[in-house]
């Protein structure tokens, strides 16, 4: 079975949400935050594909953002304009701050795949840089408001996702991975840490979760797992467990 870090994280969070999204394939309406993140990702992808910040002016990078902008999911023209202004600030700060970088991008928005036991992990990595000491830095862009200042504040989902990308990068490239980085776009700050921060046995745990996912497909059992994460679930109106929890029959 082929397993992406995103699918795996959804299944671990709530098998029922996973089933709505990936088994029944119930479409989710895009949110402003999702579209905003994609718009920034596309801008940085094309920027690096064309040579990086040092090859363009800040105005050209802002024009890239305009050219790749999607307006899906914004609640109103006012909200979209506010996000666009924020996006322009972010990309021009990025342009100024990353004229000179320690690493050289080797992979940009690259689809990777790597086997582990009977599972094939796959996904699109935002960026992998080759560092001066011939090691790899696996970078994930985040446009979220939340910004972790220490690795201990990074949630397990994101740690697992980054570690799986590092595992896949290691299979594809002849260099060791020495650094994982979360690049927070709203502040253009990077939080970097060694792969060992994930702790012992993380790959075995990811594999065990993937096996549970395979078993759920075989038995067609995807139990609901209520929690704080329900606040962000796009399927609350369809979820019986959520409705029973929020509107109990008296
Ligand atoms: S509302 Fe909560 S329990 Fe229901 S599918 Fe979504 S995440 Fe799962």
């Amino acid at each position: 079975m082929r397993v992406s870090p995103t699918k795996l994280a959804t299944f671990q969070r709530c098998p029922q949400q996973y089933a709505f999204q990936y088994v029944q394939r119930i479409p989710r309406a895009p949110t402003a935050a999702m579209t905003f993140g994609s718009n920034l990702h596309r801008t940085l992808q094309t920027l690096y594909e064309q040579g990086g910040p040092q090859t363009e002016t800040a105005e050209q990078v802002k024009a890239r953002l305009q050219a790749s902008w999607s307006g899906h999911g914004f609640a109103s023209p006012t909200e979209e304009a506010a996000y666009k202004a924020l996006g322009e600030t972010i990309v021009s700060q990025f342009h100024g701050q990353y004229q000179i970088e320690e690493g050289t991008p080797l992979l940009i928005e690259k689809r990777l795949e790597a086997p582990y036991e009977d599972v094939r992990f796959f996904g699109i990595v935002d960026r992998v840089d080759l560092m001066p000491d011939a090691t790899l830095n696996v970078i994930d862009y985040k446009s979220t408001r939340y910004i972790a200042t220490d690795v201990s504040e990074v949630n397990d989902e994101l740690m697992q996702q980054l570690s799986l990308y590092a595992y896949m990068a290691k299979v594809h490239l002849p260099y060791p991975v020495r650094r994982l980085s979360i690049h927070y776009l709203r502040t253009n700050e990077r939080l970097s840490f060694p792969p060992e921060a994930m702790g012992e046995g993380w790959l075995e745990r990811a594999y065990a979760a993937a096996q549970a996912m395979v078993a759920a497909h075989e038995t067609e059992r995807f139990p609901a797992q209520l929690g704080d994460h329900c606040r962000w679930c796009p399927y609350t109106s369809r979820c019986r467990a959520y409705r029973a929890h929020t509107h109990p029959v008296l």
Side-chain angles (χ1 to χ4, degrees):
M1 184 170 187
R2 295 169 78 248
V3 176
S4 76
T6 311
K7 280 187 178 180
L8 189 61
T10 307
F11 180 80
Q12 288 168 299
R13 197 183 313 131
C14 174
Q16 175 67 87
Q17 184 184 349
Y18 170 87
F20 283 141
Q21 193 168 338
Y22 298 110
V23 181
Q24 299 179 36
R25 296 176 189 273
I26 299 170
R28 300 181 299 165
T31 64
M34 282 163 58
T35 303
F36 181 58
S38 302
N39 289 339
L40 292 175
H41 271 71
R42 268 195 303 279
T43 303
L44 296 179
Q45 177 184 358
T46 57
L47 173 65
Y48 278 99
E49 283 171 350
Q50 296 304 312
Q54 67 279 18
T55 62
E56 291 194 356
T57 65
E59 288 310 311
Q60 285 174 309
V61 181
K62 282 199 261 182
R64 277 191 183 284
L65 178 71
Q66 297 286 351
S68 59
W69 188 264
S70 161
H72 294 305
F74 296 105
S76 65
T78 310
E79 185 184 59
E80 184 177 354
Y83 269 104
K84 208 177 256 189
L86 176 61
E88 287 188 354
T89 304
I90 288 172
V91 296
S92 53
Q93 281 175 352
F94 187 101
H95 171 267
Q97 202 165 325
Y98 292 96
Q99 286 290 310
I100 300 171
E101 291 215 54
E102 208 187 339
T104 307
L106 281 188
L107 304 179
I108 298 155
E109 299 287 338
K110 176 81 176 169
R111 190 180 183 85
L112 297 176
E113 191 166 331
Y116 181 80
E117 302 289 352
D118 54 351
V119 163
R120 291 194 77 77
F121 290 111
F122 78 100
I124 297 174
V125 66
D126 288 347
R127 188 168 143 190
V128 179
D129 281 12
L130 179 62
M131 305 304 280
D133 62 354
T135 64
L136 299 176
N137 182 13
V138 177
I139 302 170
D140 194 54
Y141 294 127
K142 283 277 169 266
S143 55
T144 51
R145 285 193 173 83
Y146 177 75
I147 291 164
T149 53
D150 184 83
V151 63
S152 61
E153 298 166 3
V154 180
N155 70 38
D156 293 345
E157 263 182 35
L158 184 50
M159 287 295 282
Q160 178 178 273
Q161 181 183 345
L162 264 170
S163 300
L164 283 172
Y165 285 132
Y167 174 72
M168 291 185 256
K170 204 168 60 181
V171 168
H172 279 264
L173 295 167
Y175 307 102
V177 178
R178 287 280 156 74
R179 206 182 291 186
L180 309 181
S181 298
I182 304 167
H183 184 122
Y184 291 104
L185 291 166
R186 285 176 186 252
T187 55
N188 273 312
E189 288 170 332
R190 256 178 224 170
L191 175 65
S192 296
F193 43 89
E196 292 75 26
M198 190 60 187
E200 293 278 316
W202 73 267
L203 186 54
E204 289 76 11
R205 288 195 294 280
Y207 174 61
Q211 283 182 308
M213 205 165 108
V214 173
H217 276 272
E218 285 168 359
T219 58
E220 297 183 3
R221 288 199 67 248
F222 297 94
Q225 202 159 274
L226 291 162
D228 278 352
H229 51 261
C230 294
R231 281 188 294 164
W232 314 108
C233 177
Y235 303 110
T236 47
S237 61
R238 293 176 182 268
C239 177
R240 278 191 212 159
Y242 184 81
R243 286 207 308 271
H245 179 68
T246 50
H247 299 98
V249 178
L250 299 175

